[in-house]
Each structure stands twice: as structure tokens, then as C-alpha cells.
Amino acid sequence: MDIPRKVPRTFLAVDDCIAKLLRDIIPFNESSGGKRVIAIQKETIHGLLLKNIPRPLVLAIEEAFSVGAQRAYAAAQGMDEGHLPHVVGQLRHFHMNEAFHRALAANNASPCPIRGSGIVSGRTGVFTLARFNAKDKLWNNARRSNTRRQMSEANRAIEPLVQSGLFSGYDAPADAVAFFVGCFAGSLRIQPEAPITMQIAVPDRHMRQWLFRESLDKFIQRYDMPASLQNDMARPKLKANVGKDLEKDGTSR
Amino acid sequence: MSRSGVQAFQNERLGQMLAARRISQVQLASMVGVSPATVSKWRSGSQAPEHDALLRLATVVNVTAEWFTRPISPKLSLPLFRSNASAHVSAREMLEARLTWAQDIAIALSEFVDYPEVNLPIRSYTEPEQFTDQDIEEAASECRELWNLGSSIIQDLALAAEGAGVILVREDTGIAQIEGLSAWSETLARPFILLSADKDNGFRSRFDLAHEIGHLVLHRHIERSTQPERHKLLEQQAHRFAGALLLPAESFAREVRIPPTLDDLLLLKRRWGVSAAAIIMRLHALDLVDENQKIALFKRRSARWGAKSEPGDGERTPERPRLLKRTIDLLVEEKVMPLESVPVHLGLSEADLEMLTSLSEGYFRGHNNVLQFARMKENAIRSDAPASHTGAVVPFKVRS
């Protein structure tokens, strides 16, 4: 971009930024004869998740949550009613951690070792995966853990996929974090042996908002979808010389 | 051959015509006004019809006289029929002849156009016993992958098949016992499928198509046989393929509640575009219901809905073929061939062409006839119009 020599600094800075922005979002396209063409950003959070987390791993985690919750409830049977909800809650943590760890290990997602009540995490593609449980409607548990908050800081890199910044573009991230959340009813009277829903959630860098959140049921269906709507390939093509020959012969209508 | 007859007469064309129209030599003889023996001689090739007789013959069977002089195109591979045992031999011959005509049309049009490339996962087994269930599931899955269909619901299977180079015909055949047939054309090196439209059931027609694709993929190199057991095995394998293609294990199984109710199946039917009966068979094939559960479901199905139809059968419009229709449209639109010349070029009647290529009825008669809306005569407009063009000004009401 040509910049006049005598331009106040502030304007120069803004101008530089706009120039950078133009370079980032409107790349030079040689195939369009040198015109700048606006590139539509196609990457999405769910696209990134689908690309990095294999379907069998998601299915395994879904199963691990169900089985872990079931084991926890079974193990708590016989405890005093007075502290049964707490016992079930704690046992869910341990049993679901264990099942989660095995699901990660069996699907080559490099789980960290189980240690005390620490968070179990694994790695697949650019994503670090971890889990927590929460009440179905209220996810106030999520931010309680300092470790989870620190982990979420990595998602700064993928925030532009949801809200693109004016001065910073999106670059493919090297790190990101996704949580699998087991949502329970919050009362042992309602479905105590299994989560009400299971969700996959991607927090923002402060873990105050969710960049993406979806039930595992729906999320798994995304793997089944074709990359695009069904292509219409059932089209004949005129042979190269057909129309031209007729014109030369003068036999066309 | 008689010297006075039309020398270029192709006697095999007559046999094809008798089969396609499903009429006997005796019936044809009385229609043309000759003796049955004469028709027999025409058919055997020992005599050719005179010019006048050929014109009468062509008129009564509704083709051009010139069609009888066209060389016979190489035969399609022996087709596999999806039918029950009661299907009559003449019915099979009729469908085979119709499929051959479809091939003739496709060959004639291929002079001007290129069809989509054939893109099917072909298995090279020569005996049906060589296939395991796993092989069939894998073949169906490979087919989906090649056609870029993902593992969810297939929106339009006919579109996908034609996009993979299959020439598809769907027409009323008048033969309810035969749902479809498929064969390979050696001339075009591409497969053909003919589906019966008689039942007018979008769900069943979709499954019939998937079944025929199964034959094309699995049984191309398997020798045809009339042995009932072998035929049954081929049918079972094509059924398994159809189920796997339309209802892939990994995505379909997740959506099924076990044990299912018939109403669960109706919801799945709407969603996946497959009949409840076919879904029950698929659940059994996937070992999600055992033999007893399968029988119980079929019993309940019969008790609630009867044996022949299911609720919602009319909800899905049958998928229609497009490729041959589009080819003719293209030739006409690009002015390669005038509309009225298409039937002459292909030699068949307009009605036959419209049926075999899924063109709308009356396409060749009405395509260029642009209907004009009736317009009022100028005089009438003038006489009705007010003498002065100045309108009366209507004042707004003034609020008090």
C-alpha cells in the first residue's frame, strides 16, 4: 500500500492495521486476474473438533460416562441416606475418571496417569480432552477448578472462529481444549445411575462462556453427515466436437 | 430370404418387439393382416416382409419401419431379476427387451454426450458362496465412500447411482411380480437398472434400487444360473447389501431403541426412507433383534397394518431417474438435434421414449408449444376505458 510521506503517526498506525487486515482477509488471488477476492472463512469449532477427535473415541467416552456413573451408583448402595448424595457424587468422580482414562488409553489419546483426585486428560490432534460432571442446567462447577481454568487459556487461539477480532486473524491452533461433561439431575430421585445428558463443550479462554456446546448424541451425528449436500453428478456432457461440427455443416437448426 | 422383401429387415428386432409388447405371433399376425406362418418366417429370418407389410407391422407395434432394419446392438449381460417365483417367462423377456431398448437409446445418445464415469466398487468373486456378510457390509460402505455420501441418510439414491454412471430406467411395466432387474452393457461398459414403477411406493422403490446396485457390485462376475437355491442366495446377498447401503450399521444402530415398537420403526422409516419391514430385516441382520423378536415384530405388523402396505407409504415420492432425460434436454437445448427429430433418430415411438427416459408425457408433442395467455383486444380496452384519464380526487375525512 502506498502511504503518503507526511501522515500523522496515529493515522499511519491505523492505515498499517487496515493494510494488514486486507492482506489477512482479502488475499491476493492470481486466478482471479489479480483482483482481491474476499475469502470466506470456513473453519468452525465443530469442524475442528470433528477433524481432531476420531468418532470411535467420542463413542468410547460416551460409553465410559454411562458405565462409570452406573458403577458409582452401584458402589454407593448401602450407605447411609444422610450422606448418600455426597458419596454418589464422589464415587462418580473416581469411577468416571477411571472409565474415561481407559477410553482415552484404548483409543490412543495418550491419557495422563490417574493421580489422586486430579483431572484426567488426554490428547488427540490439537485438542486436550478432559471431563467434569455438572448439574443438568447449572454448570457452576466448571470454573471451580484452577487447573481447568488454566487449561482453557489455550482456547484463545480458536476464539476468532466464533468472534473474529479486528486486528488479529485466525491461525490454525497448535493447542485447544475440549471438555466432556456428564450432566446429572442433581437429585438421587431422578435417574441417579446415569447422566441425564452428556455434552461436549469448548470454553473460551476465561472459561466464562462456551464457544461450542452440544449433546454427544447430536455431535456424533455430525460424523455421519457427508462433507456437503449430495452432489449432483448425474449430468451428461456434450462431447467436445458435437455442436461445432453441426455449425460447420450448416445442419444445425 | 425372399427377394421381394425388405432386404435389411432384422428378424431379431421382431423377436425383441414381440417380447417388449408381450404379444404372441398369432396376435401380431391378426393385427398386421397376415398369416401366423408368415410372421413365423419373418421371425426366423427365412422371409422378410414386403414394404407394405413392414409399414403395417411398424404401425401396429408403434415404431418406425426403419427401426426393423437397424442392426441389433450387442446383448446386455444376462440380467438378474428381483422377482418371486411366479413371474412368468414372457414377463421376464419383456423387461429384458425394454432394458435392451434402454441400452439402444443410451448408445445412440452417447454419440453426442459423455455420461458420468462409472464409479462402482466391483467385487471379482465368481461364486456367491465366497462372500461373507462382512464382505457385503464392506462393499456397501465402500460404495457410500466412493459416492461421498457419509454414513447418514441418503437423500436421493437414484441421483447418487446415476452420478456413478448407472443408466437407470423406471417405468410402469404392468408386472407386479418383478420389482427390478439389472445388467451390464459390454458396449458402453456401464450398468443398467430397470425398476418397476407399478407399486408407486417411494420407500420400496428406493430399496429395490439399492438391491439392484447390490447385484451390480457383488455379482458382476458370477455366472447366472436358474438353480433356485443359487438364485435365492444371490437375492439374499443383494438384500443384505441394500440394507447396509441404506442403513449403515454405525449410524443407524445408534438411533434404534431396543426392543423397538412398530411406532419406533415408523419414525425411523420416515427418517431413513426405508420401509418398516426392511428395517426389521436390517435389525435382524445386525443381530439387534433375534429370530423370535423379528417374527413377533412381523406378526404385530401384519395385525396392525396388514401384509401389503404400511402407514405413510405415500409420504415419499419415488425417486425419478434424470440422466437420459437430461441428455435429451441437453441435445435439444444446445440445438444438436431438433425435438421432433429425437424419436426419428432413436427409432422408437414417442410414448416408449418418454417412458424409458422418464420424460413427461407429451414431451415430444408439447415442448415447443408455448402457450400464450389470452390478451384483450385493443378496441375492447379503449371502449371500456373512461373517456377522460383524469381521476376524481377523494378527500381524506377530516377528524372533528
Side-chain angles (χ1 to χ4, degrees), chain A residues 55 59 62 216-218 220-221 223-240 242-243 246 251-253, chain B residues 110-114 116 148-152 155-156 159-160 162-163 250-251 254-255 271 323 326-327 330-331 334 336 338 340 368:
Chain A
R55 184 179 186 269
L59 288 173
E62 189 189 32
L216 284 191
D217 259 347
K218 272 193 181 171
I220 289 164
Q221 280 181 9
Y223 288 97
D224 304 332
M225 293 296 167
S228 57
L229 283 177
Q230 190 176 338
N231 290 331
D232 184 354
M233 309 278 284
R235 294 195 176 274
K237 283 181 193 158
L238 269 188
K239 285 188 191 287
V242 165
L246 290 174
T251 51
S252 62
R253 288 174 86 194
Chain B
S110 69
E111 188 187 333
F112 307 106
V113 297
D114 289 320
N148 199 22
L149 294 173
S151 53
S152 185
Q155 293 153 20
D156 190 327
L159 182 68
E162 289 191 310
E250 66 271 27
S251 49
R254 277 188 58 81
E255 295 191 10
R271 183 166 152 69
L323 189 55
R326 282 177 173 177
T327 305
L330 181 69
L331 297 185
E334 293 292 323
V336 174
E340 57 276 13
N368 285 341

Side-chain angles (χ1 to χ4, degrees), chain A residues 65-118:
Chain A
F65 273 32
S66 295
V67 173
Q70 214 173 343
R71 284 177 187 157
Y73 186 65
Q77 291 309 299
M79 299 297 284
D80 190 280
E81 288 287 330
H83 62 185
L84 187 60
H86 298 80
V87 174
V88 171
Q90 286 206 16
L91 287 176
R92 272 180 193 154
H93 173 80
F94 293 116
H95 280 283
M96 288 174 79
N97 255 5
E98 230 174 65
F100 183 61
H101 183 273
R102 284 181 192 167
L104 293 171
N107 288 277
N108 304 318
S110 327
C112 65
I114 293 177
R115 195 162 291 144
S117 61

